[in-house]
Amino acid sequence: MTEFSFNSSKNSVKSKVKVILTDTASLNVGKFLKEEELKALKLAIKEGDFKGEYGKSVSVYDGKNHIILIGTGNKVVKLDIQTLGGKLYKQISKFEKVAFYINPMPKYNLTSSEIACNLAFGLEIGGYSFDKYFTKKEASAYPKLETVEFYAADGKLNADDYQNLCAVANAVRYARDLCNEPGNYLTPEVFAEDIKRLEYLGLKVDIYDEEQIRGLGMNMLLSVSQGSINSPRVAVIRWTGEPDNKHPTFGLVGKGVTFDSGGISIKPSSGMGDMKGDMTGAAVVVATMKALALCKIKRNIVGVVGLVENMPSATASRPGDIVKSMSGQTVEIINTDAEGRLVLGDCLWYIQQKEDCHVMIDIATLTGSTMRTFGFEYAGLFSNSDMMSRDLCRLGEESGEKVWRLPVNKEYDKLINSDIADMKNCGPANAGGITAACFLQRFIVPKNSWSHLDIAGVDKDDKGHPLTPKGATAFGVRLLTKFFGCY
Ligand code: BES
Ligand code: MG
Ligand code: ZN
């Protein structure tokens, strides 16, 4: 991890790599650059016809020192600054020490401190990599970037301002680590142990094992895990940031299928390895809880994650089986690959009945249908609350983790009625993301507010983007931490 220093001095710096942000071709760099450097840069600006366009850069190198000038464009919001940080990471990660010079941007309502902090955030999450399983490390392949120093024209930088964004970056990286971890290492038991370790932050964690889960009556969840030799766990993570507040606790629920083979309704082999990431919802919930604790958010929030492995075996549940959920409703299992809703249904019921939550969000890599609808751009949002939907859509745009609402209504709900039980676990081939949401809604007490985020597709970046390097994205951490006011 890179170390950031928020230095307010305007004096020239010793770093051999200097980066300057600007929205114009004119330079206001105080004593950050030496006379000769300034001259060379001015020439390069002219040659490159640089006008401060977003993401465009001009650089000079005199054999010893590098100077990089990067444009912010002239319509800048915090997310743009974060993205610049992510873009710059590739360019500067080969250096050990880099200095940034920042001018406040009152035109866009951004202070120098906000700019520095959002750059640092972008560098942190854009510079994420998962390399623990390489046994040979080639020095050249690994980034060095050890220190980044920020200098501001107005001298108004403060390390304290970075605390919360740093916590969120830390949570994003933590969730990505969990998601990239393969299924043979991250079993439900190992995942639960990892969650338990978060207690040092002041979170209260309860882990239920198989017997306790059976005692609670979570038979839908158990039906998913019964084919696996890895026994299930349910983790309940509590953050009580406002002990005296008697308002009901906000609930978060995450799908934690540590590997989804499809079970007896087995998936095709191509791409099946991606299903190690079928626990992304759970990782996002756990990481969000971590961030809430790190930021000491003054709210009471409880996270529940259902951790199971979905495998085919002699003990696996079969298509045609009927199981009784914790809510008492019965479910005919049509397809054992529609397992996430079985896990979530019991966890949603649990969080309302045992944790007294009246407002909740669940997050899950739930359906291929939603993935095919939105590709890598949006997550699907399903909700019975217009207010929560509006908030989530707005915060999605702000955080860069965008969500788009789809309907959940009676017409779609009818499609999951069963001939021999209260419902079946999947509907017809079409509208799969919506019928999955309808299934979940059958486990929501009607007076309660609920939103469901289907993050299948956005959970993983196959190409790599400035803020999401190839691999697990941990989609949802930036959105949910914003929702709870971490940043
Ligand atoms: N985990 C998958 C959904 C998924 C697909 C996540 C692609 C990420 C990328 C889920 O458990 C699943 O298998 N859903 C089935 C449901 C169907 C059988 C009704 C699907 O969407 O195909
Ligand atoms: Mg499945
Ligand atoms: Zn799944």
Side-chain angles (χ1 to χ4, degrees):
M1 263 174 102
T2 308
E3 200 178 300
F4 296 102
S5 91
F6 297 87
N7 201 326
S8 39
S9 145
K10 287 192 219 171
N11 296 332
S12 66
V13 274
K14 295 203 181 62
S15 175
K16 291 200 172 81
V17 188
K18 298 178 184 175
V19 183
I20 300 152
L21 264 68
T22 180
D23 65 345
T24 61
S26 66
L27 285 171
N28 163 20
V29 292
K31 289 178 184 160
F32 188 66
L33 298 184
K34 297 187 194 105
E35 272 309 311
E36 328 71 271
E37 290 176 331
L38 195 59
K39 237 189 224 163
L41 192 56
K42 280 185 175 159
L43 211 65
I45 289 173
K46 229 182 187 174
E47 259 174 31
D49 195 23
F50 176 84
K51 295 187 190 73
E53 299 94 329
Y54 183 81
K56 187 171 171 184
S57 69
V58 161
S59 58
V60 288
Y61 177 56
D62 66 2
K64 259 203 223 139
N65 300 305
H66 293 263
I67 301 164
I68 302 168
L69 182 66
I70 184 142
T72 60
N74 50 21
K75 228 188 185 173
V76 205
V77 295
K78 287 174 187 165
L79 180 60
D80 298 321
I81 303 287
Q82 293 171 15
T83 307
L84 272 189
K87 276 183 199 274
L88 277 164
Y89 183 82
K90 275 209 180 104
Q91 234 175 310
I92 64 174
S93 60
K94 53 183 180 286
F95 305 112
E96 261 164 45
K97 195 171 169 186
V98 174
F100 276 78
Y101 189 78
I102 286 155
N103 284 297
M105 298 178 168
K107 257 198 284 185
Y108 319 121
N109 229 334
L110 290 168
T111 64
S112 46
S113 181
E114 284 169 334
I115 297 167
C117 293
N118 282 284
L119 273 173
F121 182 74
L123 286 166
E124 274 295 272
I125 66 171
Y128 170 84
S129 63
F130 185 74
D131 45 33
K132 67 187 274 201
Y133 290 107
F134 289 121
T135 57
K136 294 185 205 82
K137 305 204 178 195
E138 276 174 48
S140 62
Y142 286 85
K144 295 194 196 85
L145 195 59
E146 278 167 13
T147 338
V148 172
E149 291 176 331
F150 292 102
Y151 295 84
D154 57 4
K156 287 186 183 162
L157 294 186
N158 188 343
D160 290 346
D161 295 347
Y162 184 55
Q163 269 186 12
N164 280 21
L165 268 176
C166 179
V168 174
N170 178 308
V172 168
R173 296 170 67 99
Y174 171 55
R176 286 178 185 171
D177 279 346
L178 288 167
C179 297
N180 284 321
E181 198 66 56
N184 60 328
Y185 283 93
L186 196 80
T187 59
E189 184 186 358
V190 171
F191 197 165
E193 281 165 5
D194 217 271
I195 298 170
K196 186 74 182 168
R197 264 181 237 124
L198 294 175
E199 283 197 321
Y200 80 96
L201 291 169
L203 293 159
K204 175 84 188 63
V205 178
D206 284 330
I207 305 291
Y208 300 127
D209 64 14
E210 186 164 357
E211 210 176 304
Q212 292 166 306
I213 296 170
R214 187 158 291 118
L216 285 163
M218 302 175 101
N219 297 317
M220 285 200 299
L221 184 148
L222 288 174
S223 79
V224 177
S225 108
Q226 73 188 44
S228 170
I229 51 161
N230 294 306
S231 66
R233 295 287 186 276
V234 169
V236 181
I237 311 142
R238 297 188 185 82
W239 171 248
T240 311
E242 199 179 18
D244 297 331
N245 191 331
K246 293 286 172 273
H247 283 299
T249 303
F250 195 104
L252 288 177
V253 171
K255 168 180 173 181
V257 177
T258 58
F259 182 68
D260 179 16
S261 68
I264 296 296
S265 316
I266 198 162
K267 288 180 180 295
S269 53
S270 134
M272 202 203 271
D274 288 349
M275 287 301 119
K276 69 172 184 176
D278 210 18
M279 34 54 72
T280 302
V284 168
V285 167
V286 172
T288 299
M289 297 305 296
K290 184 181 186 188
L292 295 172
L294 286 167
C295 298
K296 301 200 165 59
I297 293 298
K298 288 202 167 40
R299 294 184 63 164
N300 301 329
I301 295 151
V302 60
V304 171
V305 293
L307 311 174
V308 296
E309 184 179 49
N310 186 21
M311 292 297 243
S313 78
T315 62
S317 77
R318 329 153 182 68
D321 281 3
I322 294 179
V323 292
K324 190 165 193 153
S325 67
M326 184 184 180
S327 75
Q329 305 175 91
T330 54
V331 177
E332 179 190 7
I333 295 174
I334 301 293
N335 188 318
T336 63
D337 197 12
E339 85 298 340
R341 63 200 76 183
L342 301 174
V343 174
L344 291 173
D346 274 341
C347 291
L348 284 165
W349 191 256
Y350 170 91
I351 211 166
Q352 293 164 94
Q353 300 305 318
K354 303 286 182 189
E355 304 293 333
D356 201 28
C357 292
H358 299 189
V359 188
M360 71 218 90
I361 297 175
D362 78 70
I363 180 160
T365 45
L366 205 62
T367 66
S369 167
T370 299
M371 175 177 76
R372 287 186 295 275
T373 302
F374 292 120
F376 189 68
E377 277 305 299
Y378 283 81
L381 162 66
F382 305 81
S383 181
N384 64 5
S385 159
D386 292 342
M387 206 166 73
M388 221 200 306
S389 296
R390 260 199 307 275
D391 285 348
L392 286 168
C393 287
R394 178 174 50 84
L395 298 172
E397 298 290 336
E398 277 179 35
S399 64
E401 293 181 331
K402 295 176 288 183
V403 302
W404 197 271
R405 192 178 183 184
L406 291 173
V408 254
N409 65 27
K410 282 207 180 74
E411 282 63 44
Y412 289 111
D413 181 76
K414 277 198 293 219
L415 301 174
I416 52 167
N417 284 335
S418 157
D419 293 336
I420 59 163
D422 296 334
M423 68 191 93
K424 45 190 186 183
N425 79 328
C426 70
N430 294 334
I434 300 176
T435 50
C438 290
F439 183 94
L440 299 180
Q441 196 172 26
R442 291 196 182 203
F443 298 88
I444 303 296
V445 178
K447 69 170 171 37
N448 290 346
S449 299
W450 155 80
S451 294
H452 156 58
L453 299 171
D454 189 341
I455 54 168
V458 290
D459 62 317
K460 190 170 153 276
D461 192 332
D462 294 323
K463 284 197 195 139
H465 288 82
L467 296 176
T468 52
K470 262 189 200 174
T473 59
F475 186 108
V477 177
R478 286 186 278 150
L479 172 60
L480 293 178
T481 49
K482 197 170 245 309
F483 183 82
F484 292 118
C486 292
Y487 72 109

